[in-house]
Structures are given as C-alpha cells and as structure tokens.
Amino acid sequence: MSDRGYRRPRPLSPLREHLRDTFWFAPAMGFVCVFVLWLAASAADEEIVALLQREEAYEELGSLISFVQDAKTIVTTISSAMMTFIGVVFSISLVAVQMAGGQLTPRVVRIFVRSRISKITLTVFLATFLFSLLVLTSYESEADPRLVVSVPLLQSMLTLVLVGLSLLLFVVYVSATLRLMQVGPVVDRIARESFRVLGRMPRGPGGPERLGPESGRVVHEGRAGVLRDVHTARLVRAARRQDVVLRLIPRIGDFVVPGTPVLAVHGGAAPPRSRMRYTVSVGVERTLHQDLAFGLRQLSDIALRALSTSVNDPTTAVQCLDRIVQILAAVVHLPLGTVHHRDRSGRVRLVQEGPGWDGLVDLAFEEIRWCVAGSPQVSRRLLAGLDDLLLLAPEERKQPLVRHRALLVQTVERAVPVAADRQFALLPDRQGIG
C-alpha cells in the first residue's frame, strides 16, 4: 500500500479508541465534572447570600430561603427516584441489545458499547442523581436571613436543568436503541465505521521496499488474545531512534499467545523494551479501529445467520450484500496489502501486512455463496453485485470476482433441478427479487 499522501497517525488515537470500547470512562468523567460544577454552584450561592447580607436585603433573602425550601421537596424526590429510573431504563435496554445480538450477530453489542448517545445518557442520568445528593447536603436548617450561610438557589435550578436534560436524552436514547434492533441502521453503522477505517489508511501507489536481513525479533509477553491494533506512531518513533525497520508479523485480527513473535527487526538490534511498551494492543475480540476486514466479517456473519434454517430471512442477507458490495466498490481501485509507515525524514520505519484484494473478496462472498442455493433472492443479488464489481474492477483484480461468479452458477445449477427455477435464480437483480 502507498506511502504517497501518508498521514502520520495521531499519537492518542489508540487510547481514544480503547476508551470508546469501555462503558466506565464517560460516567467517571461525568462524576468529576458534576463535583466541580457543584463546588462552583455552591460557592456562587454563598456569594449571593453574602452579598444580600452586606446590602442588608433580609426580606429578599428570606424570600429566597422560602423558595429554596419549597424546591427541596422536588430535589429530594429527584434523588430518590432517579436511581430507580436508571435501573429500569438500562435493564430494558440490555434486553433489547440481547435480542439484537441473537437476531443479527453478537458482534452488534459493540455498537451499543461504543454508542455515544448511550454513554451520554447514562452519564447525565448518574450525574443528575449525584448532583441532587450533593445539593441536599447544602440545605441548612437555619431560617434566619441574618445567620444563614448558604441558600442553594443556583444548585436547585441546576438540578432542574439536569432533570430536563435527562428527559430529553431519554427520548433520544430510546429512539437510538430501537434503531439498534433494525437491520438497516445496524448494517449502515458497520459500513460507515468501515469507511472511517478506510479513510485512515495510507493511500497512493507504492513500490516494494527492500528491508534487508532480519536481525532480531520481539515476542509477545502479555496475555493471549486478538491483536486489536498497534500504536503506529510509537513504533515508528522507536524504530527511528534505534535506526532500524520494524515489521509486524501477525496481521490485525490474528490471535496471538505469549511467546509469539509479533515484530521482526531489520537493520540492527531491537529497540529497548521500555520504548516498546503499549505499542501492541491485545484484547478479547476484534475492533474496527485498524481492522478493515472486520467490517466485512460482521456483515458476512449477519448474512449467514439470516440464511440459516432457524432464521430464514433472505431479505436481511440482501441488505448485508448491499453494504458488502459498497465497501468492495470503494476499495477496488485502492492499493491493498503491505503498508509502509515512514518517519519525518521519509524513511520506512514500520512495515505492516494488510488484507489483500483476493482475501477481502473471499471474506465477503465465500461463506455466503455456500448458503444461497435455496434462496433465489440472495443468489440474484449476489450475481448483480459481482457483475457491478466486475464493471468497476481493473483487469488485474477481476479474477477472484470471475471465480466466485462461476462457482455461484455451479452451486445453483447443482442444487436446483428445474431449468426454469435455475434460470430465475441466476438472473442478476440488485433488489434480489425486485
């Protein structure tokens, strides 16, 4: 893959993506912000009381105390009801996510985990609950305007604002959760995330680089798991300081175990272990941060489940094929395979093996093709997709498409005994049966 037009990765990009895969970071930051907001509001309320006392506006201050005491009932109700509301809302949401995972694929759960609206909603709900508790601690039993220290006027108003924001987010959150249970929005989300990965990939024509003999290897010392991503900027920096070239041995998405070589060193000694910390991320499942093939894997899984005898939903498979063809059409002219990451001076410092065109085509169509014999809707859509890609593909990339088309025709001819049915099943149609 190209080196021309290469955009150096942002150093914090892997950390940001890993935090998006967690559900605790946003609420934790929300707690911190709420505590800071409460301190600021409390200080402002104390300043308001002090100002009124200096002006000897005791009548106005007494009115504020009366108003705040009435608002205390509302704040108390909010604090007692908010946690129950949170439990009910998210219990129902987890049931909805479980249903979506069973209907489509368990991989769609990560969409819920990474959803910004889900995290924002939970954060605001919990923030409202915590803020209301903090506000209750600011109420005083003293009713004399001359002796009172703090009247939580601003705090009470902010509590009401947070309640209103919670109700608004609740409506948005329910809408987003319902969309998660629909096939169209889910496959569209997977496709859009795949295009984001594609947008971060280096582009342009590039020739092979001579790496020289291998002079060492770096083995994986962490836990066993899937290679989720690599910290490209840190690896390039470590290789530049050591004046070597590093080559990533496993591909993104491969399963690695302790002792497995993950980096080959060319041109000198391996960088010190201190410089190699946090350069390789291993987790329990794949992510789309740097893994273009994972998008096609998810779409293929959804289509296969839809074509199973227990589900028998060919229309869902057709929707998945729509997005599969869309992704392949976007990469059909792009250079794929080996990626060369360069340092500031333009020298190659990191070589990374990526998915090739043949591999992406096989991942997209091979398993689905095995399951289409009894579904003319899917076979017609698959043929139409292959024909569209053949029109777009350059000559050197047509061979795997031609092979899958021929194998699909053979599969249908063997499985469908009636000639008229075979002819119908092998008629290309972008809607399947439109």
Side-chain angles (χ1 to χ4, degrees), residues 91-105 108-109 111-112 173-187 189 302 313 316 319:
S91 296
I92 297 173
S93 301
L94 291 177
V95 173
V97 172
Q98 184 179 13
M99 292 177 59
Q103 178 186 359
L104 302 175
T105 172
V108 302
V109 176
I111 297 179
F112 176 81
Y173 173 75
V174 169
S175 176
T177 304
L178 290 176
R179 285 176 60 83
L180 182 62
M181 301 178 66
Q182 298 174 277
V183 177
V186 170
V187 297
R189 175 71 174 270
I302 296 174
D313 182 11
T316 293
Q319 289 179 278

Side-chain angles (χ1 to χ4, degrees), residues 55-311:
E55 297 292 334
E56 296 185 353
Y58 298 120
E59 183 177 349
E60 291 80 356
L61 185 54
S63 299
L64 288 182
I65 294 174
S66 176
F67 173 79
V68 168
Q69 289 299 324
D70 292 338
K72 182 179 179 180
T73 305
I74 300 176
V75 175
T76 304
T77 304
I78 292 171
S79 63
S80 61
M82 202 65 198
M83 187 53 70
T84 303
F85 180 65
I86 293 172
V88 172
V89 169
F90 280 89
S91 296
I92 297 173
S93 301
L94 291 177
V95 173
V97 172
Q98 184 179 13
M99 292 177 59
Q103 178 186 359
L104 302 175
T105 172
R107 258 67 64 186
V108 302
V109 176
R110 64 178 298 277
I111 297 179
F112 176 81
V113 174
R114 289 175 61 88
S115 170
R116 287 188 176 93
I117 187 61
S118 299
K119 295 176 182 178
I120 292 174
T121 303
L122 177 63
T123 301
V124 173
F125 283 6
L126 293 175
T128 303
F129 172 71
L130 177 61
F131 193 80
S132 63
L133 292 180
L134 293 173
V135 171
L136 288 176
T137 65
S138 299
Y139 284 97
E140 299 181 7
S141 57
E142 182 60 59
D144 190 347
R146 294 174 177 80
L147 301 178
V148 71
V149 176
S150 175
V151 177
L153 173 65
L154 182 59
Q155 299 172 64
S156 300
M157 298 302 294
L158 287 175
T159 303
L160 297 179
V161 170
L162 286 174
V163 171
L165 182 59
S166 298
L167 294 176
L168 177 63
L169 285 174
F170 172 69
V171 176
V172 178
Y173 173 75
V174 169
S175 176
T177 304
L178 290 176
R179 285 176 60 83
L180 182 62
M181 301 178 66
Q182 298 174 277
V183 177
V186 170
V187 297
D188 176 68
R189 175 71 174 270
I190 295 172
R192 285 189 286 111
E193 290 188 355
S194 298
F195 282 112
R196 291 194 191 100
V197 178
L198 191 61
R200 291 192 292 261
M201 294 173 64
R203 300 181 183 179
E209 292 282 342
R210 183 175 179 83
L211 299 180
E214 184 178 313
S215 54
R217 287 193 169 187
V218 178
V219 300
H220 175 56
E221 298 179 348
R223 61 175 182 173
V226 175
L227 181 60
R228 302 172 62 187
D229 53 42
V230 294
H231 200 311
T232 305
R234 186 169 292 172
L235 284 173
V236 170
R237 185 165 57 248
R240 178 178 58 82
R241 291 178 178 176
Q242 197 71 15
D243 195 22
V244 296
V245 178
L246 300 176
R247 177 172 56 87
L248 187 66
I249 297 175
R251 292 197 331 184
I252 301 296
D254 287 355
F255 191 88
V256 296
V257 297
T260 301
V262 291
L263 290 167
V265 185
H266 297 262
R273 185 174 300 178
S274 59
R275 295 180 184 172
M276 304 297 289
R277 290 177 180 173
Y278 311 115
T279 56
V280 176
S281 173
V282 172
V284 295
E285 64 177 353
R286 297 165 69 176
T287 69
L288 264 169
H289 179 212
Q290 297 177 355
D291 193 353
L292 177 63
F294 187 47
L296 292 174
R297 175 74 275 164
Q298 292 180 85
L299 293 172
S300 179
D301 284 349
I302 296 174
L304 291 173
R305 184 175 292 247
L307 292 174
S308 65
T309 55
S310 59
V311 178

